[in-house]
Amino acid sequence: MTPTIDEFQRARAQYPMPFTRIELAVFAVKDGKLQVLLGQRSEPPHAGKWALPGGVVRIDLDTNLDAACQRVARERLGVALTEAQQVIAVGARRRDPRAPWALSVVYRAMVRPHRLHAVAGKRLVELQWFTTEEATTSALAFDHAMLIARAVTQLRDQVSVLHFPPGLMDQTFTLGELQSASEAVLGHALDKSSFRRRLDAAQTVEPIAGEVRSGPFRPAQVYRLPG
Amino acid sequence: MTPTIDEFQRARAQYPMPFTRIELAVFAVKDGKLQVLLGQRSEPPHAGKWALPGGVVRIDLDTNLDAACQRVARERLGVALTEAQQVIAVGARRRDPRAPWALSVVYRAMVRPHRLHAVAGKRLVELQWFTTEEATTSALAFDHAMLIARAVTQLRDQVSVLHFPPGLMDQTFTLGELQSASEAVLGHALDKSSFRRRLDAAQTVEPIAGEVRSGPFRPAQVYRLPG
DNA sequence: TCAATAGTGTCTTTGAGACATTATAGA
DNA sequence: TCTATAATGTCTCAAAGACACTATTGA
């Protein structure tokens, strides 16, 4: 081994590293509203309070941060999160009473609620959906209310420029459904004509030729996200 | 001590934490171009190569990530970085040969080059400015070329909506100077009339009454960033 | 007067909001 | 026919790009 490795080993012994975790902000549109999945903690600290599901980064198991996010999602929620996006890293002394210095890398993902069969993992009593309004204004565990607010802002910025996150919609959808979901995320109504004009210009959706969805009204063209 | 603290201590012994660092992407406008400050490494790994200045997060010294960024700036560059912005956290196995698993939190900041009296700290031969073009296309140490590309994108997004980062301009400046600096950051020319109209609407600069800058041409109104 | 930059005005294009209109299914 | 939603069209307004023009200094 080179002297540099030795030096690292010495540095590691000398300087303890932050307690490093992943926190998941899993969003869904339910009942026409943007909601976030929280777990109720069964143990101190903050026993009884609601918190983002999360877990420790395991350098023996995870090849990188994204993989750690995937593993935590599987372990804590029992689901595979496709294409979660990093929101921010927060790290400070006294963030988490279990450690002198805690660093959390926050990820966000969107899911269709009926496709998520989330099961509460360790240290959680149960999982429950909260509107983002409720979640960001109530007393959650740790600094999670602030983290959720950050994630919501990022998500809205993305949707407002018609960059729809995977997981927002089912594989196929109508433009009416896409507009409803966008309105739920953004928290305000959109103009139909303008919405479609912008979709056209942005080329973010493509029609599936010949496929329509019917009901007691005019059938709607079915679309999908390209790629 | 509560059982939970014990549990954390056990977890820490059981699960080694990532080797956690701060990397600094310090930008300046020099010679009409956006440039980034790199240091040449004096030791392996990547001895001789250019890299972002950075340092280990010290949980005994730093109260949070932003404070760690400040300390690293002081130690490695000898300057106080005002209002650095977090860009991204990257973490993976084999990112850094010195550690089995390395996590870097990347910050970006803008400085006026003549105000920076940067002195190369430990493990660096010297510090030098590179155009972002050079930096993102040449073979830098570690994954730093990618990190710089990320930081540049974020910076451009910010300036393109007239959110000027502190450190871009001196305390006072003319609109001509502000436009030149913006053009350097964005990498393309801007229309003067449109630029000023947008500044007016955004209220991101305020004139200093009565103060003008002279030269062999019509005197220019002097402005400052509000706040 | 000239060179150089500051500052303003006008025309046009683009994009999006508001809102109306037509279309088409099932009940 | 009625109701609900789909799909399109039109008018207007706001913002920004293109570009020209005037203003003011020192050399």
Side-chain angles (χ1 to χ4, degrees), chain A residues 4-5 7-8 15 19 44 58-60 62-65 86 89 91-93 97-98 101 123, chain B residues 4-5 7-8 15 44 58-60 62-65 86 89 91-93 97-98 101 123:
Chain A
T4 327
I5 301 293
E7 191 198 348
F8 161 69
Y15 308 130
F19 182 57
R58 291 281 303 274
I59 71 174
D60 54 334
D62 308 318
T63 60
N64 55 43
L65 284 177
Q86 189 186 123
R93 207 174 271 159
R98 288 170 294 182
W101 217 101
R123 263 176 283 286
Chain B
T4 327
I5 301 292
E7 191 198 348
F8 162 70
Y15 307 130
R58 289 280 304 272
I59 71 174
D60 53 335
D62 308 318
T63 59
N64 56 42
L65 284 177
Q86 189 186 122
R93 205 175 274 158
R98 287 170 294 181
W101 217 101
R123 262 176 283 287

mmCIF file of all heavy atoms in Angstrom, chain A residues 4-5 7-8 15 19 44 58-60 62-65 86 89 91-93 97-98 101 123, chain B residues 4-5 7-8 15 44 58-60 62-65 86 89 91-93 97-98 101 123:
data_model
loop_
_atom_site.group_PDB
_atom_site.id
_atom_site.type_symbol
_atom_site.label_atom_id
_atom_site.label_comp_id
_atom_site.label_asym_id
_atom_site.label_seq_id
_atom_site.Cartn_x
_atom_site.Cartn_y
_atom_site.Cartn_z
ATOM 1 N N THR A 4 0.002 7.192 0.747
ATOM 2 C CA THR A 4 -1.242 7.946 0.738
ATOM 3 C C THR A 4 -2.358 7.162 1.411
ATOM 4 O O THR A 4 -3.179 7.729 2.140
ATOM 5 C CB THR A 4 -1.657 8.288 -0.694
ATOM 6 O OG1 THR A 4 -0.471 8.488 -1.444
ATOM 7 C CG2 THR A 4 -2.501 9.527 -0.701
ATOM 8 N N ILE A 5 -2.425 5.885 1.136
ATOM 9 C CA ILE A 5 -3.446 5.074 1.772
ATOM 10 C C ILE A 5 -3.258 5.084 3.283
ATOM 11 O O ILE A 5 -4.194 5.253 4.050
ATOM 12 C CB ILE A 5 -3.404 3.619 1.237
ATOM 13 C CG1 ILE A 5 -3.611 3.599 -0.273
ATOM 14 C CG2 ILE A 5 -4.454 2.766 1.930
ATOM 15 C CD1 ILE A 5 -4.969 4.022 -0.729
ATOM 16 N N GLU A 7 -1.948 7.346 4.932
ATOM 17 C CA GLU A 7 -2.364 8.655 5.426
ATOM 18 C C GLU A 7 -3.884 8.728 5.586
ATOM 19 O O GLU A 7 -4.395 9.299 6.540
ATOM 20 C CB GLU A 7 -1.909 9.734 4.444
ATOM 21 C CG GLU A 7 -2.071 11.113 5.020
ATOM 22 C CD GLU A 7 -2.036 12.161 3.925
ATOM 23 O OE1 GLU A 7 -1.653 11.817 2.781
ATOM 24 O OE2 GLU A 7 -2.403 13.299 4.226
ATOM 25 N N PHE A 8 -4.581 8.146 4.626
ATOM 26 C CA PHE A 8 -6.035 8.133 4.741
ATOM 27 C C PHE A 8 -6.491 7.357 5.977
ATOM 28 O O PHE A 8 -7.346 7.805 6.731
ATOM 29 C CB PHE A 8 -6.676 7.521 3.490
ATOM 30 C CG PHE A 8 -8.089 7.082 3.746
ATOM 31 C CD1 PHE A 8 -9.083 8.028 3.974
ATOM 32 C CD2 PHE A 8 -8.413 5.735 3.813
ATOM 33 C CE1 PHE A 8 -10.372 7.632 4.252
ATOM 34 C CE2 PHE A 8 -9.700 5.342 4.092
ATOM 35 C CZ PHE A 8 -10.676 6.293 4.314
ATOM 36 N N TYR A 15 -10.171 11.609 12.358
ATOM 37 C CA TYR A 15 -11.355 12.427 12.141
ATOM 38 C C TYR A 15 -12.571 11.551 11.919
ATOM 39 O O TYR A 15 -12.736 10.991 10.829
ATOM 40 C CB TYR A 15 -11.165 13.309 10.904
ATOM 41 C CG TYR A 15 -9.888 14.117 10.921
ATOM 42 C CD1 TYR A 15 -9.044 14.108 9.821
ATOM 43 C CD2 TYR A 15 -9.544 14.883 12.024
ATOM 44 C CE1 TYR A 15 -7.875 14.852 9.826
ATOM 45 C CE2 TYR A 15 -8.373 15.629 12.034
ATOM 46 C CZ TYR A 15 -7.535 15.613 10.932
ATOM 47 O OH TYR A 15 -6.390 16.342 10.934
ATOM 48 N N PHE A 19 -22.384 10.819 10.472
ATOM 49 C CA PHE A 19 -23.381 9.752 10.405
ATOM 50 C C PHE A 19 -24.235 10.059 9.177
ATOM 51 O O PHE A 19 -24.939 11.063 9.138
ATOM 52 C CB PHE A 19 -24.216 9.792 11.685
ATOM 53 C CG PHE A 19 -25.254 8.722 11.795
ATOM 54 C CD1 PHE A 19 -24.921 7.381 11.716
ATOM 55 C CD2 PHE A 19 -26.581 9.064 12.006
ATOM 56 C CE1 PHE A 19 -25.885 6.386 11.836
ATOM 57 C CE2 PHE A 19 -27.559 8.078 12.127
ATOM 58 C CZ PHE A 19 -27.198 6.742 12.041
ATOM 59 N N PRO A 44 -37.479 6.415 20.162
ATOM 60 C CA PRO A 44 -36.809 7.702 20.244
ATOM 61 C C PRO A 44 -35.584 7.714 19.335
ATOM 62 O O PRO A 44 -35.042 6.638 19.035
ATOM 63 C CB PRO A 44 -36.417 7.828 21.727
ATOM 64 C CG PRO A 44 -36.485 6.456 22.288
ATOM 65 C CD PRO A 44 -37.394 5.642 21.401
ATOM 66 N N ARG A 58 -24.857 2.492 3.563
ATOM 67 C CA ARG A 58 -24.031 1.320 3.885
ATOM 68 C C ARG A 58 -22.960 1.165 2.820
ATOM 69 O O ARG A 58 -23.252 0.704 1.702
ATOM 70 C CB ARG A 58 -24.926 0.076 3.925
ATOM 71 C CG ARG A 58 -25.906 0.032 5.107
ATOM 72 C CD ARG A 58 -25.194 -0.408 6.373
ATOM 73 N NE ARG A 58 -24.570 -1.713 6.175
ATOM 74 C CZ ARG A 58 -25.208 -2.880 6.348
ATOM 75 N NH1 ARG A 58 -26.451 -2.914 6.765
ATOM 76 N NH2 ARG A 58 -24.571 -4.014 6.134
ATOM 77 N N ILE A 59 -21.733 1.518 3.176
ATOM 78 C CA ILE A 59 -20.679 1.495 2.160
ATOM 79 C C ILE A 59 -20.323 0.072 1.757
ATOM 80 O O ILE A 59 -19.697 -0.145 0.731
ATOM 81 C CB ILE A 59 -19.422 2.266 2.621
ATOM 82 C CG1 ILE A 59 -18.682 1.529 3.729
ATOM 83 C CG2 ILE A 59 -19.782 3.672 3.070
ATOM 84 C CD1 ILE A 59 -17.375 2.190 4.085
ATOM 85 N N ASP A 60 -20.781 -0.906 2.558
ATOM 86 C CA ASP A 60 -20.519 -2.295 2.172
ATOM 87 C C ASP A 60 -21.575 -2.800 1.182
ATOM 88 O O ASP A 60 -21.337 -3.760 0.466
ATOM 89 C CB ASP A 60 -20.480 -3.189 3.418
ATOM 90 C CG ASP A 60 -21.739 -3.041 4.269
ATOM 91 O OD1 ASP A 60 -22.375 -1.966 4.204
ATOM 92 O OD2 ASP A 60 -22.088 -3.990 4.993
ATOM 93 N N ASP A 62 -23.843 -0.429 -0.788
ATOM 94 C CA ASP A 62 -24.261 0.529 -1.810
ATOM 95 C C ASP A 62 -23.065 0.962 -2.652
ATOM 96 O O ASP A 62 -22.065 1.420 -2.121
ATOM 97 C CB ASP A 62 -24.883 1.761 -1.150
ATOM 98 C CG ASP A 62 -25.982 1.384 -0.160
ATOM 99 O OD1 ASP A 62 -26.783 0.490 -0.499
ATOM 100 O OD2 ASP A 62 -26.036 1.987 0.934
ATOM 101 N N THR A 63 -23.200 0.856 -3.975
ATOM 102 C CA THR A 63 -22.083 1.280 -4.813
ATOM 103 C C THR A 63 -22.028 2.796 -4.960
ATOM 104 O O THR A 63 -20.968 3.343 -5.243
ATOM 105 C CB THR A 63 -22.140 0.639 -6.212
ATOM 106 O OG1 THR A 63 -23.365 1.038 -6.823
ATOM 107 C CG2 THR A 63 -22.088 -0.874 -6.121
ATOM 108 N N ASN A 64 -23.159 3.467 -4.815
ATOM 109 C CA ASN A 64 -23.149 4.934 -4.865
ATOM 110 C C ASN A 64 -24.417 5.460 -4.171
ATOM 111 O O ASN A 64 -25.245 4.672 -3.695
ATOM 112 C CB ASN A 64 -23.050 5.445 -6.308
ATOM 113 C CG ASN A 64 -24.154 4.881 -7.174
ATOM 114 O OD1 ASN A 64 -25.306 4.814 -6.753
ATOM 115 N ND2 ASN A 64 -23.813 4.460 -8.383
ATOM 116 N N LEU A 65 -24.572 6.771 -4.147
ATOM 117 C CA LEU A 65 -25.701 7.361 -3.424
ATOM 118 C C LEU A 65 -27.043 6.946 -4.026
ATOM 119 O O LEU A 65 -28.001 6.665 -3.295
ATOM 120 C CB LEU A 65 -25.591 8.888 -3.423
ATOM 121 C CG LEU A 65 -24.568 9.505 -2.463
ATOM 122 C CD1 LEU A 65 -24.529 11.019 -2.635
ATOM 123 C CD2 LEU A 65 -24.930 9.158 -1.010
ATOM 124 N N GLN A 86 -31.994 13.642 -6.571
ATOM 125 C CA GLN A 86 -31.423 14.218 -5.363
ATOM 126 C C GLN A 86 -31.943 15.636 -5.163
ATOM 127 O O GLN A 86 -32.025 16.412 -6.114
ATOM 128 C CB GLN A 86 -29.899 14.250 -5.457
ATOM 129 C CG GLN A 86 -29.240 14.625 -4.147
ATOM 130 C CD GLN A 86 -27.727 14.796 -4.267
ATOM 131 O OE1 GLN A 86 -27.184 15.841 -3.952
ATOM 132 N NE2 GLN A 86 -27.077 13.754 -4.751
ATOM 133 N N ALA A 89 -28.264 17.999 0.154
ATOM 134 C CA ALA A 89 -27.591 17.354 1.281
ATOM 135 C C ALA A 89 -27.590 18.346 2.437
ATOM 136 O O ALA A 89 -27.246 19.514 2.251
ATOM 137 C CB ALA A 89 -26.159 16.982 0.907
ATOM 138 N N GLY A 91 -26.256 18.779 6.489
ATOM 139 C CA GLY A 91 -25.401 18.161 7.495
ATOM 140 C C GLY A 91 -25.081 19.174 8.561
ATOM 141 O O GLY A 91 -24.757 20.316 8.243
ATOM 142 N N ALA A 92 -25.200 18.734 9.808
ATOM 143 C CA ALA A 92 -24.907 19.645 10.921
ATOM 144 C C ALA A 92 -24.763 18.859 12.211
ATOM 145 O O ALA A 92 -25.227 17.725 12.324
ATOM 146 C CB ALA A 92 -25.990 20.699 11.072
ATOM 147 N N ARG A 93 -24.147 19.518 13.142
ATOM 148 C CA ARG A 93 -24.064 19.016 14.503
ATOM 149 C C ARG A 93 -25.472 19.082 15.106
ATOM 150 O O ARG A 93 -26.241 20.001 14.809
ATOM 151 C CB ARG A 93 -23.132 19.948 15.280
ATOM 152 C CG ARG A 93 -22.409 19.336 16.440
ATOM 153 C CD ARG A 93 -21.432 20.369 16.999
ATOM 154 N NE ARG A 93 -20.118 20.316 16.350
ATOM 155 C CZ ARG A 93 -19.252 21.323 16.350
ATOM 156 N NH1 ARG A 93 -19.550 22.463 16.916
ATOM 157 N NH2 ARG A 93 -18.082 21.179 15.752
ATOM 158 N N PRO A 97 -30.200 13.427 17.410
ATOM 159 C CA PRO A 97 -29.644 13.162 18.747
ATOM 160 C C PRO A 97 -28.860 11.859 18.832
ATOM 161 O O PRO A 97 -28.083 11.673 19.775
ATOM 162 C CB PRO A 97 -30.885 13.093 19.641
ATOM 163 C CG PRO A 97 -32.042 13.477 18.831
ATOM 164 C CD PRO A 97 -31.644 13.553 17.396
ATOM 165 N N ARG A 98 -29.031 10.984 17.852
ATOM 166 C CA ARG A 98 -28.307 9.718 17.914
ATOM 167 C C ARG A 98 -26.844 9.870 17.546
ATOM 168 O O ARG A 98 -26.044 8.975 17.790
ATOM 169 C CB ARG A 98 -28.950 8.700 16.957
ATOM 170 C CG ARG A 98 -30.284 8.187 17.420
ATOM 171 C CD ARG A 98 -30.945 7.395 16.327
ATOM 172 N NE ARG A 98 -31.293 8.245 15.187
ATOM 173 C CZ ARG A 98 -31.919 7.824 14.102
ATOM 174 N NH1 ARG A 98 -32.237 6.545 13.979
ATOM 175 N NH2 ARG A 98 -32.226 8.654 13.124
ATOM 176 N N TRP A 101 -22.943 14.349 14.760
ATOM 177 C CA TRP A 101 -22.943 15.110 13.495
ATOM 178 C C TRP A 101 -23.616 14.231 12.449
ATOM 179 O O TRP A 101 -23.135 13.137 12.149
ATOM 180 C CB TRP A 101 -21.507 15.399 13.080
ATOM 181 C CG TRP A 101 -21.235 16.738 12.443
ATOM 182 C CD1 TRP A 101 -20.687 17.828 13.039
ATOM 183 C CD2 TRP A 101 -21.444 17.100 11.069
ATOM 184 N NE1 TRP A 101 -20.553 18.852 12.134
ATOM 185 C CE2 TRP A 101 -21.008 18.436 10.920
ATOM 186 C CE3 TRP A 101 -21.977 16.447 9.959
ATOM 187 C CZ2 TRP A 101 -21.086 19.132 9.705
ATOM 188 C CZ3 TRP A 101 -22.047 17.142 8.755
ATOM 189 C CH2 TRP A 101 -21.598 18.468 8.640
ATOM 190 N N ARG A 123 -38.377 0.484 12.840
ATOM 191 C CA ARG A 123 -38.456 1.765 13.533
ATOM 192 C C ARG A 123 -39.660 2.610 13.125
ATOM 193 O O ARG A 123 -39.741 3.776 13.440
ATOM 194 C CB ARG A 123 -37.176 2.582 13.333
ATOM 195 C CG ARG A 123 -36.189 2.466 14.471
ATOM 196 C CD ARG A 123 -34.903 3.207 14.183
ATOM 197 N NE ARG A 123 -34.045 2.464 13.268
ATOM 198 C CZ ARG A 123 -33.356 1.379 13.620
ATOM 199 N NH1 ARG A 123 -33.406 0.932 14.842
ATOM 200 N NH2 ARG A 123 -32.619 0.743 12.752
ATOM 201 N N THR B 4 -31.050 4.385 22.826
ATOM 202 C CA THR B 4 -30.902 4.774 21.427
ATOM 203 C C THR B 4 -29.484 5.228 21.130
ATOM 204 O O THR B 4 -28.947 4.932 20.076
ATOM 205 C CB THR B 4 -31.873 5.916 21.097
ATOM 206 O OG1 THR B 4 -33.053 5.730 21.873
ATOM 207 C CG2 THR B 4 -32.204 5.907 19.641
ATOM 208 N N ILE B 5 -28.900 5.969 22.044
ATOM 209 C CA ILE B 5 -27.524 6.405 21.831
ATOM 210 C C ILE B 5 -26.612 5.193 21.734
ATOM 211 O O ILE B 5 -25.772 5.095 20.848
ATOM 212 C CB ILE B 5 -27.068 7.335 22.987
ATOM 213 C CG1 ILE B 5 -27.977 8.550 23.069
ATOM 214 C CG2 ILE B 5 -25.615 7.752 22.779
ATOM 215 C CD1 ILE B 5 -27.864 9.496 21.902
ATOM 216 N N GLU B 7 -27.426 2.370 20.742
ATOM 217 C CA GLU B 7 -27.666 1.721 19.464
ATOM 218 C C GLU B 7 -26.888 2.414 18.342
ATOM 219 O O GLU B 7 -26.335 1.770 17.462
ATOM 220 C CB GLU B 7 -29.157 1.754 19.144
ATOM 221 C CG GLU B 7 -29.495 0.872 17.965
ATOM 222 C CD GLU B 7 -30.838 1.246 17.385
ATOM 223 O OE1 GLU B 7 -31.575 2.021 18.033
ATOM 224 O OE2 GLU B 7 -31.127 0.766 16.284
ATOM 225 N N PHE B 8 -26.861 3.737 18.412
ATOM 226 C CA PHE B 8 -26.094 4.464 17.407
ATOM 227 C C PHE B 8 -24.614 4.116 17.475
ATOM 228 O O PHE B 8 -23.978 3.855 16.465
ATOM 229 C CB PHE B 8 -26.275 5.979 17.573
ATOM 230 C CG PHE B 8 -25.190 6.736 16.877
ATOM 231 C CD1 PHE B 8 -25.138 6.760 15.484
ATOM 232 C CD2 PHE B 8 -24.209 7.388 17.592
ATOM 233 C CE1 PHE B 8 -24.133 7.434 14.837
ATOM 234 C CE2 PHE B 8 -23.198 8.060 16.938
ATOM 235 C CZ PHE B 8 -23.156 8.078 15.557
ATOM 236 N N TYR B 15 -21.037 -0.124 10.977
ATOM 237 C CA TYR B 15 -21.113 0.381 9.612
ATOM 238 C C TYR B 15 -20.191 1.575 9.451
ATOM 239 O O TYR B 15 -20.523 2.671 9.886
ATOM 240 C CB TYR B 15 -22.534 0.812 9.279
ATOM 241 C CG TYR B 15 -23.582 -0.237 9.550
ATOM 242 C CD1 TYR B 15 -24.715 0.069 10.282
ATOM 243 C CD2 TYR B 15 -23.433 -1.533 9.059
ATOM 244 C CE1 TYR B 15 -25.691 -0.885 10.529
ATOM 245 C CE2 TYR B 15 -24.397 -2.496 9.299
ATOM 246 C CZ TYR B 15 -25.519 -2.172 10.033
ATOM 247 O OH TYR B 15 -26.465 -3.118 10.273
ATOM 248 N N PRO B 44 0.000 11.721 -4.807
ATOM 249 C CA PRO B 44 -0.995 10.786 -5.304
ATOM 250 C C PRO B 44 -2.184 10.749 -4.356
ATOM 251 O O PRO B 44 -2.014 11.073 -3.176
ATOM 252 C CB PRO B 44 -0.255 9.440 -5.326
ATOM 253 C CG PRO B 44 0.960 9.603 -4.484
ATOM 254 C CD PRO B 44 1.230 11.061 -4.355
ATOM 255 N N ARG B 58 -14.859 18.139 8.944
ATOM 256 C CA ARG B 58 -14.346 17.887 10.289
ATOM 257 C C ARG B 58 -15.472 18.110 11.286
ATOM 258 O O ARG B 58 -15.830 19.253 11.582
ATOM 259 C CB ARG B 58 -13.189 18.853 10.591
ATOM 260 C CG ARG B 58 -11.913 18.553 9.797
ATOM 261 C CD ARG B 58 -11.136 17.408 10.416
ATOM 262 N NE ARG B 58 -10.834 17.693 11.800
ATOM 263 C CZ ARG B 58 -9.755 18.354 12.217
ATOM 264 N NH1 ARG B 58 -8.859 18.764 11.347
ATOM 265 N NH2 ARG B 58 -9.565 18.590 13.500
ATOM 266 N N ILE B 59 -16.020 17.008 11.813
ATOM 267 C CA ILE B 59 -17.187 17.151 12.686
ATOM 268 C C ILE B 59 -16.811 17.792 14.018
ATOM 269 O O ILE B 59 -17.678 18.258 14.740
ATOM 270 C CB ILE B 59 -17.911 15.803 12.901
ATOM 271 C CG1 ILE B 59 -17.097 14.871 13.778
ATOM 272 C CG2 ILE B 59 -18.232 15.156 11.578
ATOM 273 C CD1 ILE B 59 -17.846 13.600 14.124
ATOM 274 N N ASP B 60 -15.516 17.849 14.300
ATOM 275 C CA ASP B 60 -15.108 18.523 15.539
ATOM 276 C C ASP B 60 -14.993 20.031 15.335
ATOM 277 O O ASP B 60 -15.033 20.794 16.302
ATOM 278 C CB ASP B 60 -13.770 17.956 16.025
ATOM 279 C CG ASP B 60 -12.700 17.991 14.944
ATOM 280 O OD1 ASP B 60 -13.051 17.982 13.746
ATOM 281 O OD2 ASP B 60 -11.508 18.027 15.295
ATOM 282 N N ASP B 62 -16.587 21.828 12.367
ATOM 283 C CA ASP B 62 -17.626 22.443 11.539
ATOM 284 C C ASP B 62 -19.006 22.204 12.143
ATOM 285 O O ASP B 62 -19.371 21.068 12.413
ATOM 286 C CB ASP B 62 -17.576 21.837 10.128
ATOM 287 C CG ASP B 62 -16.177 21.901 9.521
ATOM 288 O OD1 ASP B 62 -15.527 22.950 9.691
ATOM 289 O OD2 ASP B 62 -15.755 20.913 8.903
ATOM 290 N N THR B 63 -19.779 23.289 12.302
ATOM 291 C CA THR B 63 -21.110 23.097 12.879
ATOM 292 C C THR B 63 -22.105 22.591 11.844
ATOM 293 O O THR B 63 -23.105 21.972 12.200
ATOM 294 C CB THR B 63 -21.650 24.399 13.500
ATOM 295 O OG1 THR B 63 -21.712 25.395 12.486
ATOM 296 C CG2 THR B 63 -20.745 24.882 14.614
ATOM 297 N N ASN B 64 -21.850 22.876 10.578
ATOM 298 C CA ASN B 64 -22.714 22.339 9.526
ATOM 299 C C ASN B 64 -21.952 22.351 8.198
ATOM 300 O O ASN B 64 -20.788 22.762 8.146
ATOM 301 C CB ASN B 64 -24.018 23.126 9.423
ATOM 302 C CG ASN B 64 -23.776 24.609 9.197
ATOM 303 O OD1 ASN B 64 -22.904 24.977 8.419
ATOM 304 N ND2 ASN B 64 -24.529 25.452 9.891
ATOM 305 N N LEU B 65 -22.615 21.924 7.123
ATOM 306 C CA LEU B 65 -21.924 21.817 5.831
ATOM 307 C C LEU B 65 -21.457 23.166 5.320
ATOM 308 O O LEU B 65 -20.354 23.287 4.783
ATOM 309 C CB LEU B 65 -22.852 21.155 4.797
ATOM 310 C CG LEU B 65 -23.032 19.644 4.915
ATOM 311 C CD1 LEU B 65 -24.041 19.159 3.872
ATOM 312 C CD2 LEU B 65 -21.702 18.928 4.716
ATOM 313 N N GLN B 86 -24.655 25.262 -2.491
ATOM 314 C CA GLN B 86 -24.440 23.832 -2.699
ATOM 315 C C GLN B 86 -24.876 23.446 -4.100
ATOM 316 O O GLN B 86 -25.924 23.890 -4.572
ATOM 317 C CB GLN B 86 -25.240 23.019 -1.670
ATOM 318 C CG GLN B 86 -24.880 21.556 -1.694
ATOM 319 C CD GLN B 86 -25.768 20.705 -0.789
ATOM 320 O OE1 GLN B 86 -26.414 19.765 -1.236
ATOM 321 N NE2 GLN B 86 -25.807 21.050 0.487
ATOM 322 N N ALA B 89 -24.394 16.561 -4.092
ATOM 323 C CA ALA B 89 -23.579 15.612 -3.346
ATOM 324 C C ALA B 89 -23.372 14.391 -4.235
ATOM 325 O O ALA B 89 -24.324 13.881 -4.819
ATOM 326 C CB ALA B 89 -24.272 15.205 -2.048
ATOM 327 N N GLY B 91 -21.508 10.519 -4.224
ATOM 328 C CA GLY B 91 -20.872 9.551 -3.348
ATOM 329 C C GLY B 91 -20.869 8.203 -4.015
ATOM 330 O O GLY B 91 -21.871 7.794 -4.584
ATOM 331 N N ALA B 92 -19.733 7.530 -3.949
ATOM 332 C CA ALA B 92 -19.649 6.217 -4.577
ATOM 333 C C ALA B 92 -18.392 5.495 -4.109
ATOM 334 O O ALA B 92 -17.451 6.108 -3.610
ATOM 335 C CB ALA B 92 -19.639 6.331 -6.098
ATOM 336 N N ARG B 93 -18.438 4.197 -4.308
ATOM 337 C CA ARG B 93 -17.276 3.364 -4.089
ATOM 338 C C ARG B 93 -16.242 3.690 -5.174
ATOM 339 O O ARG B 93 -16.633 3.978 -6.313
ATOM 340 C CB ARG B 93 -17.732 1.906 -4.232
ATOM 341 C CG ARG B 93 -16.915 0.888 -3.506
ATOM 342 C CD ARG B 93 -17.580 -0.483 -3.642
ATOM 343 N NE ARG B 93 -18.603 -0.727 -2.628
ATOM 344 C CZ ARG B 93 -19.593 -1.607 -2.762
ATOM 345 N NH1 ARG B 93 -19.720 -2.299 -3.878
ATOM 346 N NH2 ARG B 93 -20.454 -1.782 -1.788
ATOM 347 N N PRO B 97 -9.275 6.888 -4.585
ATOM 348 C CA PRO B 97 -8.482 5.708 -4.207
ATOM 349 C C PRO B 97 -8.053 5.700 -2.743
ATOM 350 O O PRO B 97 -7.667 4.649 -2.227
ATOM 351 C CB PRO B 97 -7.251 5.784 -5.116
ATOM 352 C CG PRO B 97 -7.483 6.875 -6.079
ATOM 353 C CD PRO B 97 -8.679 7.662 -5.671
ATOM 354 N N ARG B 98 -8.127 6.854 -2.084
ATOM 355 C CA ARG B 98 -7.703 6.895 -0.681
ATOM 356 C C ARG B 98 -8.719 6.269 0.258
ATOM 357 O O ARG B 98 -8.424 5.988 1.415
ATOM 358 C CB ARG B 98 -7.470 8.341 -0.252
ATOM 359 C CG ARG B 98 -6.224 8.954 -0.834
ATOM 360 C CD ARG B 98 -6.189 10.430 -0.559
ATOM 361 N NE ARG B 98 -7.263 11.121 -1.271
ATOM 362 C CZ ARG B 98 -7.456 12.446 -1.232
ATOM 363 N NH1 ARG B 98 -6.666 13.205 -0.504
ATOM 364 N NH2 ARG B 98 -8.432 12.997 -1.926
ATOM 365 N N TRP B 101 -14.976 4.355 0.050
ATOM 366 C CA TRP B 101 -16.262 4.965 -0.335
ATOM 367 C C TRP B 101 -16.150 6.447 -0.013
ATOM 368 O O TRP B 101 -15.969 6.834 1.147
ATOM 369 C CB TRP B 101 -17.386 4.350 0.494
ATOM 370 C CG TRP B 101 -18.689 4.133 -0.204
ATOM 371 C CD1 TRP B 101 -19.169 2.956 -0.702
ATOM 372 C CD2 TRP B 101 -19.725 5.110 -0.436
ATOM 373 N NE1 TRP B 101 -20.419 3.123 -1.240
ATOM 374 C CE2 TRP B 101 -20.783 4.440 -1.099
ATOM 375 C CE3 TRP B 101 -19.859 6.469 -0.179
ATOM 376 C CZ2 TRP B 101 -21.966 5.082 -1.487
ATOM 377 C CZ3 TRP B 101 -21.026 7.113 -0.565
ATOM 378 C CH2 TRP B 101 -22.067 6.422 -1.215
ATOM 379 N N ARG B 123 -1.059 19.818 -0.080
ATOM 380 C CA ARG B 123 -1.304 18.856 -1.147
ATOM 381 C C ARG B 123 -1.487 19.493 -2.526
ATOM 382 O O ARG B 123 -1.892 18.837 -3.469
ATOM 383 C CB ARG B 123 -2.523 17.981 -0.839
ATOM 384 C CG ARG B 123 -2.155 16.635 -0.254
ATOM 385 C CD ARG B 123 -3.377 15.826 0.122
ATOM 386 N NE ARG B 123 -3.983 16.286 1.355
ATOM 387 C CZ ARG B 123 -3.454 16.084 2.562
ATOM 388 N NH1 ARG B 123 -2.327 15.426 2.680
ATOM 389 N NH2 ARG B 123 -4.049 16.535 3.645
#
